[in-house]
Amino acid sequence: MRHLLSAGDLSRAEAVEILDTTSTMAATQSREIKKLPALRGLTVVNLFFEDSTRTRISFEAAAKRLSADVINFSAKGSSVSKGESLKDTALTLAAMGADAVVIRHQASGAPHRLATSGWIRTPVVNAGDGMHQHPTQALLDAFTMRRHLVGGGEGGDGVGEDLTGAKVVIVGDVLHSRVARSNVDLLHTLGAHVTLVAPPTLLPVGVDTWPCAVSYDLDASIADVRPDAIMMLRVQRERMSSAGGGFFPSPMEYSRRYGLDGTRLAALPEHCVVMHPGPMNRGLEISAKAADSPRSTIVEQVANGVAVRMAVLYLLLAGGTPTEGSR
Amino acid sequence: MTSYLIRAASVLGGERTDLYLADGVIAALGPDAAAAAPRGDGGSAVEVVEIDASTLIALPGLVDLHTHLREPGREDAETVASGTRAAAVGGFTCVHAMANTDPVADTAGVVEQVWRLGQDAGWAQVRPVGAVTVGLRGEQLAELGAMADSAAAVRVFSDDGMCVHDPVLMRRALEYVKAFDGVVAQHAQEPRLTAGALMHEGVVSAALGLTGWPAVAEEAIIARDVLLAEHVGSRVHICHLSTAGSVDIIRWAKARGIDVTAEVTPHHLVLTDEAVRGYDPQFKVNPPLRTAADVAAVRAGLADGTIDIVATDHAPHPDEDKDCEFAAAAMGMTGLETALSVVVEAMVNNPDHDFGWADVARTMSAAPAAIGRVSEQGRPLEVGEPANLVLVDPEATWTVDPPALRTASSNTPFAQRELPARVVATFWRGAATVLDGAPREALRERAGAGA
Amino acid sequence: MTSGATSTTVLSENDISRALTRIAHEILERNKGGTDLVLLGIPTRGAPLARRLGERILDAEGRPEAPLAELVGTLDITMHRDDLRRNPTRALEPTRIPPVGLDEKVVVLVDDVLYSGRTIRAALDAISDLGRPRAVQLAVLVDRGHRELPIRADYIGKNLPTSRSERVSVRLTELDGSDSVVLSS
Ligand SMILES: [Zn+2]
């Protein structure tokens, strides 16, 4: 693995290796001293062209707990209008001696450009690009699911296992969601069965070619699929307005048809976990009752996010093919 | 004045014959040609250059109905001189310069300026295209009559880059240009359906998370415009048609007797949206690259005459407008120097279609000249006709090397691709603009000295 | 093995067994019994060696039924290596510390071969992140010399003078199907 650009690039073995490494990293995070020296002397740059305090802090914590130096580079709003800035920024980072770049960008494919244009030679981690991919989110979701649905093994994290046979329902704005794309790719690789549920306006043309089922009816999906995990995607209220695309008539109608309320929560199988990548719109795609229920993994997902990002940074920066180390 | 004796060229890929070019016309053909050429005994003031064309094909000089020369305004991307020189290397003797310059070519003054720059450059005939609406804003008709009556004698009007989407305005434009035998060339793109669009909407855009440009946004405008043209009894031309549905609509319209013509670009004949998977902005173009089924449909449409012409939509951009993230990149590709080779690859060398060199001459010379009402271009290679012709080596192959191209920009989607057929020589008004595949720089000096 | 290479078995299955038994007794002797002891095996091959030593210690103390996991753990030092960038790393192994923790314990690090000493330096760093032992000792099956750091072993199965070009291969039943130490050149 040279870069992490898309969850779709990962083989099953690579994905399981990341999840297993995450498990080791997560174990170190319950220690008194959480810091590991693995990346001492290396510099990780967080290059954020789009605001996301949560994701930036998660990557920053991950890098720092591996003893890397972290430079936060916020370039919000400087990109699409003046596209050359991505190249210039990359050249600047290369000159500053960055060892890895974590990039968040509103333009789909920007991390891919950064990794493949020859502007910079370091590993690139995609921290979310436009409507394309958010691979570390999918990895932390898969890690969370594996811990709850598979379990066993060292630390109860299902080490060495994939998600074969797990049934996952993903609900909401698939069209604009990089989280949905990454999850469909990764969960399919790991052997899970995914059903996307959304109003037809919020599904992309071409979704029928994705390795998953598609439904417009949440109640029927809960009843028919009997999911092991249900993931509610964030829906932006402005998608309703005609300026925002007019994708649905009103928040009320959306939440009646596609929100996870108390009734639907009760209809889920006993063991089904409730997930959300955050930040939540309580009362729109998810009710407070569902978000705060004991089966919600939403807070745990945040904690797992740090461990996943530690694993990814570790494998990209220290990784290589396994060989005998010198004794 | 130099004259040219072209030996044993295969005219339109048919019989081999000699051609003698003198005084700007084809002075003699066949056995008469050699006899007509003065003996090189020093007794004549005319220098005769003899060219062995025994492996070459002769076509009428190519005519491009859709070229962005960028001058005035974006001389960093292309100038009239650099663009027409590239055109000559590509085998063109006439190009139509699109109106989306800065300032926009929406007045007699600007179109005359572009026309003069073309005259001065001396590489090919430049026919300016006039904007349909003031500033391409789609609100008010530009002074179409003044442009038609100017020295540039504009006959093709287009807001290309923008769609004339207001149906009333489009109707008025279609009607108005009838007064001077003009034609409106529509860039068919419904703007609301394509807000923020970056690539063809389909399987690939769904995977890449790039906002889609649906085929229906093109087809809906074409359907509307052929019906409008029928209603008001005008002719209409459709720029860079790119979808299978568009081909069907044009086929239907022609069967119905509507006076519509349509063009396809070389890139839409060979490239698909799969090329965008690497997010390389060199493949960002408007209309976008479509699916393999669309490519098959436009090829079939070109072969059966539904699509009348190939036009390059040559759209040069400086490196900084392509060396960036996909969303930020400019839309467009260069095409003048690769057009003929791409058509040969997609159509002539393609056993699926019955498309010969005569069809190349029809779709890349005669038909575009007719649509643009350029009387001296696209003529048959016969005695007395203007000496606008191109000699092509059909067996040659070459590899596209962007820095080696003559256009001032390097945004070709065909970099490092091996293409068939090479332009060996181009003659415009009897003068060689290209010999041995290279532009004759001396021409420019002469033009400059004569100015 | 490449043709022309010579290899010699320097420790047989019996030799290894005898060496471990001896080391187990030395550990008990030096530390006046097994209370307060924690054995930490360094993966990969230190981990089974530590388990074998632990079993022998419990046997010698007459409490063979006592849970081994309270005496023996593993310590992955990969992330503490100072040559992480130069040597492509192996995948991480679990670190498992006995529930009693390391504070005020006598920690015996267990590894198969002692060579440059860099692994042990990394292990000492790793331990300091996990607690504060009263003392740290080192047991190795083979000491092949060529130290690059001021580190020595407290318990040694066999001192094996080698040249740097030679290779010491430790095979253990748990991982490799049989027990042996082979020197090849
Ligand atoms: Zn256009």
Side-chain angles (χ1 to χ4, degrees), chain B residues 66 68 160-161 187 239-240 286-287 313:
Chain B
H66 195 145
H68 295 277
D160 182 62
H187 169 116
C239 295
H240 43 55
N286 195 22
D313 196 5

Side-chain angles (χ1 to χ4, degrees), chain A residues 23-44:
Chain A
S23 181
T24 309
M25 295 298 179
T28 67
Q29 296 310 294
S30 54
R31 294 182 194 159
E32 208 164 305
I33 297 174
K34 296 182 171 62
K35 197 161 176 161
L36 296 161
L39 303 183
R40 196 164 48 204
L42 301 183
T43 301
V44 173

Side-chain angles (χ1 to χ4, degrees), chain C residues 166-181:
Chain C
E166 287 172 311
R167 182 181 159 85
V168 177
S169 310
V170 175
R171 296 167 57 83
L172 295 175
T173 308
E174 293 90 329
L175 298 165
D176 312 301
S178 65
D179 277 7
S180 67
V181 176

Side-chain angles (χ1 to χ4, degrees), chain B residues 267-450:
Chain B
H267 46 272
H268 286 112
L269 287 171
V270 288
L271 300 174
T272 70
D273 59 346
E274 291 291 333
V276 181
R277 282 203 190 268
Y279 291 101
D280 184 346
Q282 298 299 2
F283 298 105
K284 183 175 176 184
V285 65
N286 195 22
L289 300 176
R290 304 287 187 183
T291 67
D294 293 309
V295 168
V298 294
R299 286 181 178 188
L302 184 63
D304 72 15
T306 302
I307 297 173
D308 303 82
I309 67 168
V310 175
T312 66
D313 196 5
H314 175 83
H317 290 289
D319 288 351
E320 59 267 29
D321 289 348
K322 287 290 190 181
D323 206 6
C324 55
E325 51 276 46
F326 197 86
M331 293 187 281
M333 310 169 158
T334 62
L336 286 168
E337 291 160 271
T338 47
L340 179 63
S341 291
V342 170
V343 169
V344 170
E345 177 184 302
M347 304 299 296
V348 179
N349 292 354
N350 183 347
D352 294 345
H353 298 296
D354 182 17
F355 196 91
W357 290 97
D359 297 303
V360 174
R362 172 175 56 80
T363 58
M364 297 185 78
S365 180
I371 293 167
R373 301 295 194 250
V374 195
S375 55
E376 64 179 281
Q377 297 278 350
R379 303 294 306 161
L381 298 184
E382 287 168 7
V383 174
E385 294 288 356
N388 300 323
L389 67 147
V390 54
L391 298 176
V392 182
D393 181 349
E395 302 303 327
T397 59
W398 59 293
T399 301
V400 180
D401 175 25
L405 297 177
R406 263 43 178 230
T407 169
S409 293
S410 54
N411 57 306
T412 172
F414 300 113
Q416 308 321 317
R417 184 163 169 149
E418 192 182 272
L419 293 175
R422 201 174 67 93
V423 170
V424 174
T426 308
F427 302 89
W428 175 46
R429 293 177 178 168
T433 53
V434 174
L435 278 181
D436 295 324
R440 297 187 64 220
E441 301 295 342
L443 267 185
R444 283 209 67 194
E445 285 150 28
R446 195 190 318 140

Side-chain angles (χ1 to χ4, degrees), chain B residues 28-341:
Chain B
L29 266 180
D32 301 342
R39 297 271 164 222
D41 56 6
S44 166
V46 179
E47 183 201 357
V48 181
V49 175
E50 192 168 321
I51 297 171
D52 174 11
S54 60
T55 59
L56 307 180
I57 287 171
L59 303 173
L62 306 182
V63 177
D64 192 15
L65 200 66
H66 195 145
T67 316
H68 295 277
L69 293 178
R70 299 292 187 227
E71 190 177 1
R74 287 307 300 267
E75 291 83 356
D76 56 331
E78 196 82 280
T79 62
V80 171
S82 69
T84 51
R85 185 179 55 163
V89 171
F92 291 90
T93 53
C94 175
V95 296
H96 288 73
M98 273 299 171
N100 62 339
T101 49
D102 184 11
V104 170
D106 58 0
T107 61
V110 177
V111 294
E112 283 193 356
Q113 181 199 357
V114 171
W115 175 73
R116 280 217 175 81
L117 287 167
Q119 292 277 95
D120 291 349
W123 291 106
Q125 184 176 3
V126 173
R127 294 275 294 172
V129 173
V132 176
T133 67
V134 175
L136 310 178
R137 283 193 294 272
E139 292 162 0
Q140 186 188 350
L141 288 182
E143 289 187 351
L144 309 182
M147 290 188 274
D149 294 342
S150 73
V154 175
R155 289 296 176 271
V156 180
F157 298 89
S158 181
D159 275 1
D160 182 62
M162 309 293 283
C163 180
V164 182
H165 63 92
D166 179 332
V168 175
L169 198 60
M170 184 63 180
R171 173 194 172 147
R172 298 284 180 259
L174 288 169
E175 290 174 313
Y176 194 76
V177 298
K178 284 198 284 188
F180 33 84
D181 197 22
V183 65
V184 176
Q186 175 69 295
H187 169 116
Q189 175 179 6
E190 208 295 313
R192 288 273 291 147
L193 282 172
T194 53
L198 296 169
M199 70 172 296
H200 174 67
E201 183 170 20
V203 171
V204 181
S205 68
L208 296 184
L210 292 173
T211 304
W213 200 128
V216 62
E218 173 175 309
E219 293 153 2
I221 293 292
I222 295 177
R224 182 199 75 177
D225 286 353
V226 295
L227 292 171
L228 275 177
E230 177 180 46
H231 181 63
V232 300
S234 294
R235 62 185 181 120
V236 63
H237 177 74
I238 305 300
C239 295
H240 43 55
L241 173 155
S242 66
T243 78
S246 299
V247 177
D248 286 341
I249 294 166
I250 299 292
R251 195 175 281 128
W252 172 86
K254 286 188 167 179
R256 201 173 152 95
I258 297 171
D259 194 1
V260 58
T261 53
E263 78 191 28
V264 63
T265 70
H267 46 272
H268 286 112
L269 287 171
V270 288
L271 300 174
T272 70
D273 59 346
E274 291 291 333
V276 181
R277 282 203 190 268
Y279 291 101
D280 184 346
Q282 298 299 2
F283 298 105
K284 183 175 176 184
V285 65
N286 195 22
L289 300 176
R290 304 287 187 183
T291 67
D294 293 309
V295 168
V298 294
R299 286 181 178 188
L302 184 63
D304 72 15
T306 302
I307 297 173
D308 303 82
I309 67 168
V310 175
T312 66
D313 196 5
H314 175 83
H317 290 289
D319 288 351
E320 59 267 29
D321 289 348
K322 287 290 190 181
D323 206 6
C324 55
E325 51 276 46
F326 197 86
M331 293 187 281
M333 310 169 158
T334 62
L336 286 168
E337 291 160 271
T338 47
L340 179 63
S341 291

